[in-house]
């Protein structure tokens, strides 16, 4: 999706990285609610090559240098694993950071914004929603491989790039605060949605209990496993690479699996207006679970497996709560493209949770059978 961009700014940025070519043109990529992303085409040695330039959102990521330290370590580790396994086409299977002229993983512009550059991976596609069981399977496989590859990464604990990112208790408290303030007088518009989340606090308690009773090891997780963060080969539809590594940090598997349930099982987009279309399709859940369990079978604990169906409901609840909180707070976090956009997003999450609640037993029974 092309849109307007600041040409001067980007041609300036283009000279700050270790790229030998000259920038020809660029397109702004509208996917993603947080960072600014551009696909830039360069003439280099008589060929056209592409790179991704990205401006990190400094309001969301307060310590961009730490973000890039994490991304650098994680991508190096995965690359070394792929090479050791004799994988082909490694440059399509893990992101490659293009260093800045001074050798750092980022460039800080005069306004204090942090930029980074990746090699563009060609002949791939991303989707906003899943349209076949195979795609759901591939998504599961991709993020399962990701957590498995990182399960033996040595060295200091990764930085928490957003502290308490998936702490649903804190998210719940934040929601209650925003509701009490109701600074934009929006609570009446969202009365039903507020009621839904308030009445579902049991989900928060269930996760708290699970976390405090052990058996859920801390792992290096991706934490933003939206389906559009998986690059699929344009011809085969096979997963190639996972992207958007800003929130890779210590977490647990429920966050990753749960967000995949949220984004791969309904035929709809996150902001679908026709709520009758929003539902968890069991065959897609099954394919997703097969893919994920296939690539995590050597690391998953019994307890993790037992909570896998619950994780879908839990993460849909967490993200729904964040959309609603942002709506009540005047849309300051997630990029919105229309009035009430965050409220529309909230409604799809609620509808999906209701659909999951009807099928949770079947979902877990299937996971148990694997
Ligand atoms: C944000 O940037 P994007 O679209 O990949 C958000 C995720 C949410 C998601 C909801 C850093 O991800 O946590 O699940 O929107 N990322 C951050 O669509 O907050
Ligand atoms: Mg993201």
């Amino acid at each position: 999706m092309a849109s307007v961009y600041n040409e001067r700014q980007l041609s300036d940025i283009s000279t700050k990285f270790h790229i030998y070519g000259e920038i020809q043109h660029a397109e702004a990529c509208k996917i993603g609610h947080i960072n600014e992303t551009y696909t830039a085409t360069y003439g280099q040695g008589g060929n056209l090559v592409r790179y991704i330039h990205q401006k990190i959102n400094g309001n969301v990521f307060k310590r961009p240098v730490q973000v890039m330290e994490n991304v650098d370590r994680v991508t190096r580790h995965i690359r070394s694993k792929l090479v050791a396994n004799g994988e082909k086409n490694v440059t399509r299977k893990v992101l490659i950071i293009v260093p800045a002229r001074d050798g750092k993983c980022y460039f800080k512009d005069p306004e204090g914004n942090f930029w980074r550059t990746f090699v563009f991976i060609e002949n791939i596609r991303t989707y906003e929603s899943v349209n076949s069981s195979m795609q759901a399977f591939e998504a599961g496989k991709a993020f399962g491989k990701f957590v498995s590859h990182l399960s033996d990464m040595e060295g200091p604990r990764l930085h928490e790039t957003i502290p308490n990112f998936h702490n649903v208790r804190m998210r719940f408290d934040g929601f209650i605060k925003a509701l009490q303030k109701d600074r934009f007088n929006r609570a009446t518009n969202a009365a039903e949605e507020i009621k839904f989340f308030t009445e579902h606090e049991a989900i928060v308690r269930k996760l708290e209990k699970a976390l405090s009773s052990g058996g859920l090891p801390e792992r290096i997780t991706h934490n933003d496993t939206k389906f559009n963060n998986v690059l699929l080969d344009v011809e085969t539809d096979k997963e190639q690479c996972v992207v958007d590594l800003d929130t890779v940090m210590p977490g647990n598997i429920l966050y990753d699996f749960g967000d995949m349930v949220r984004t791969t099982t309904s035929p709809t987009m996150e902001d679908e207006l026709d709520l009758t279309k929003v539902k968890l399709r069991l065959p897609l859940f099954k394919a997703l679970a097969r893919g994920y369990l296939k690539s995590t079978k050597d690391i998953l604990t019994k307890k993790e497996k037992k909570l896998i169906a619950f994780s879908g409901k839990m993460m849909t609840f967490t993200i729904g709560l964040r959309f609603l909180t942002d709506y009540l707070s005047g849309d300051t976090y997630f990029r919105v493209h229309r009035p009430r956009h965050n409220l529309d997003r909230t409604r799809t999450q609620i509808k999906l949770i209701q659909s999951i609640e009807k099928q949770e037993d079947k979902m877990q029974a299937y996971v148990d059978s694997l």
Side-chain angles (χ1 to χ4, degrees):
M1 266 175 285
S3 75
V4 208
Y5 68 100
N6 184 331
E7 199 164 335
R8 271 252 317 275
Q9 182 187 43
L10 220 57
S11 65
D12 190 38
I13 290 301
S14 76
T15 63
K16 308 298 182 195
F17 290 92
H18 256 291
I19 294 173
Y20 299 100
E22 280 164 7
I23 193 163
Q24 313 268 314
H25 57 92
E27 280 167 14
C29 169
K30 281 214 275 178
I31 301 173
H33 304 329
I34 310 289
N35 295 320
E36 258 178 57
T37 307
Y38 302 91
T39 306
T41 303
Y42 287 73
Q44 188 170 284
N47 259 332
L48 294 180
V49 289
R50 296 202 275 180
Y51 293 93
I52 293 284
H53 297 303
Q54 216 169 25
K55 182 161 102 182
I56 301 179
N57 181 328
N59 288 329
V60 169
F61 296 102
K62 307 279 185 216
R63 298 197 170 92
V65 177
Q66 293 195 350
V67 169
M68 292 315 291
E69 272 174 27
N70 281 2
V71 176
D72 188 36
R73 279 182 64 197
V74 160
T75 52
R76 279 172 196 278
H77 184 78
I78 295 177
R79 191 172 319 128
S80 72
K81 289 242 138 162
L82 295 172
V83 170
N85 293 345
E87 285 271 354
K88 301 233 162 52
N89 288 323
V90 171
T91 57
R92 275 171 76 73
K93 294 186 178 158
V94 63
L95 285 178
I96 297 180
I97 299 172
V98 178
R101 295 274 166 204
D102 62 2
K104 294 206 174 93
C105 291
Y106 54 84
F107 167 73
K108 189 176 172 187
D109 75 17
E111 281 94 61
N113 299 307
F114 283 75
W115 291 81
R116 62 183 169 199
T117 298
F118 297 107
V119 169
F120 185 88
I121 302 179
E122 297 287 348
N123 301 316
I124 53 86
R125 263 204 77 168
T126 59
Y127 299 82
E128 291 299 303
S129 60
V130 161
N131 48 45
S132 70
S133 289
M134 193 189 114
Q135 286 185 350
F137 177 83
E138 288 296 311
K141 212 172 87 193
F143 283 116
K145 273 188 348 201
F146 185 82
V147 74
S148 299
H149 279 147
L150 294 171
S151 62
D152 64 350
M153 193 173 88
E154 286 172 355
R157 195 168 179 265
L158 287 180
H159 304 293
E160 288 190 41
T161 54
I162 303 180
N164 292 306
F165 188 49
H166 289 314
N167 184 330
V168 63
R169 170 57 65 196
M170 290 190 57
R171 297 293 187 186
F172 196 84
D173 293 347
F175 155 66
I176 298 292
K177 260 194 212 132
L179 179 59
Q180 282 164 351
K181 280 196 195 142
D182 193 19
R183 267 188 54 208
F184 297 84
N185 290 317
R186 289 179 172 184
T188 45
N189 291 339
E192 263 185 54
E193 291 73 22
I194 291 166
K195 183 163 176 271
F196 178 89
F197 281 98
T198 316
E199 287 178 357
H200 276 73
E201 200 188 336
I203 296 177
V204 181
R205 289 192 292 271
K206 180 162 173 176
L207 180 68
E208 285 180 318
K209 201 167 152 217
L211 288 172
S212 63
S213 61
L216 278 179
E218 179 177 286
R219 299 188 182 279
I220 299 173
T221 46
H222 182 285
N223 298 305
D224 188 6
T225 57
K226 255 167 127 166
F227 184 51
N228 68 11
N229 282 330
V230 184
L231 310 186
L232 300 175
D233 183 88
V234 79
E235 265 158 33
T236 63
D237 241 11
K238 298 272 181 208
E239 58 88 12
Q240 302 297 308
C241 183
V242 303
V243 298
D244 195 355
L245 307 179
D246 301 329
T247 50
V248 175
M249 59 179 145
N252 81 62
I253 251 167
L254 304 183
Y255 306 147
D256 277 7
F257 190 79
D259 205 43
M260 281 193 281
V261 175
R262 184 179 79 83
T263 59
T264 66
T265 59
S266 178
T268 49
M269 312 246 278
E270 194 172 65
D271 56 1
E272 173 65 54
L273 290 168
D274 181 353
L275 294 177
T276 63
K277 292 187 186 151
V278 180
K279 53 170 137 341
L280 177 129
R281 294 167 294 175
L282 201 56
L284 296 200
F285 172 82
K286 289 181 176 176
L288 174 73
R290 273 200 308 281
Y292 196 69
L293 264 67
K294 183 178 177 203
S295 40
T296 52
K297 62 178 184 316
D298 297 333
I299 61 165
L300 228 55
T301 66
K302 261 198 192 134
K303 171 115 174 239
E304 286 174 321
K305 213 174 151 189
K306 265 282 158 231
L307 286 165
I308 265 210
F310 166 70
S311 76
K313 183 168 78 176
M314 186 271 291
M315 279 306 289
T316 310
F317 179 89
T318 306
I319 307 297
L321 199 58
R322 290 174 57 199
F323 287 145
L324 181 56
T325 306
D326 200 32
Y327 174 71
L328 294 172
S329 317
D331 307 311
T332 57
Y333 188 92
F334 297 105
R335 194 176 298 140
V336 288
H337 304 288
R338 58 179 187 246
R340 297 191 186 210
H341 205 165
N342 273 316
L343 187 58
D344 294 338
R345 291 169 177 150
T346 310
R347 289 181 173 148
T348 60
Q349 307 309 298
I350 293 178
K351 194 64 205 304
L352 188 58
I353 295 169
Q354 290 167 333
S355 173
I356 294 176
E357 281 175 334
K358 286 192 204 127
Q359 305 180 76
E360 219 177 327
D361 294 345
K362 282 191 207 145
M363 289 160 66
Q364 189 57 45
Y366 181 73
V367 172
D368 292 342
S369 77
L370 290 175

